[in-house]
Amino acid sequence: MVTDYAPIYALVQQIPKGKVTTYGRIAVCLNLASPRMVGRALHLNPDSEGTPCHRVVASNGRLAPSYAFGGLGEQARKLAAEGVQIKQNRVILRNHLWEPGLL
DNA sequence: AACATGACATAAG
DNA sequence: CCTTATGCCATGT
């Protein structure tokens, strides 16, 4: 059996439309040992239906360098479609950073 | 068990 | 702005 990443998916699914959050933020919120786990979880389940992984970005606002689906363009396009402002593959965290509810 | 790899974060050059 | 390097921890070989 593999580690249960359910909490990560649950949290990602709670990200409001038009907002984004970072791997590290999720990791801290869920009390995970490392933000790498978050990325692993999302890469494992590229389920864009149940899990809006495109709303998860790196701490510096950069998008995933190796997005599992259509690539970087797809993620950026999805975010833009939800009203997220993007600047050269960089999300304006200042405006769109969503802080997950602590447990 | 040891080594290598990865959708990260932070620091340093 | 870029690339390296280190810490981190689960996975796969």
Side-chain angles (χ1 to χ4, degrees):
Chain A
M1 147 180 187
V2 292
T3 308
D4 183 20
Y5 293 113
I8 299 180
Y9 303 133
L11 208 148
V12 171
Q13 289 164 22
Q14 289 163 49
I15 303 177
K17 176 185 172 187
K19 293 277 182 178
V20 299
T21 191
T22 69
Y23 299 92
R25 201 61 114 198
I26 295 174
V28 171
C29 179
L30 296 179
N31 211 20
L32 296 180
S34 164
R36 278 189 176 294
M37 304 298 101
V38 180
R40 282 198 83 67
L42 292 181
H43 198 145
L44 258 156
N45 299 53
D47 180 18
S48 47
E49 297 296 306
T51 308
C53 40
H54 57 269
R55 293 183 189 149
V56 184
V57 302
S59 63
N60 61 342
R62 271 290 204 185
L63 302 184
S66 307
Y67 195 56
F69 277 116
L72 205 50
E74 263 306 295
Q75 185 176 13
R77 196 181 66 80
K78 288 179 182 179
L79 290 174
E82 296 183 353
V84 176
Q85 300 173 299
I86 300 186
K87 184 66 175 175
Q88 295 288 20
N89 290 350
R90 188 166 306 202
V91 178
I92 311 301
L93 292 176
R94 199 182 80 167
N95 299 335
H96 303 290
L97 179 59
W98 173 75
E99 306 202 20
L102 279 63
L103 354 111

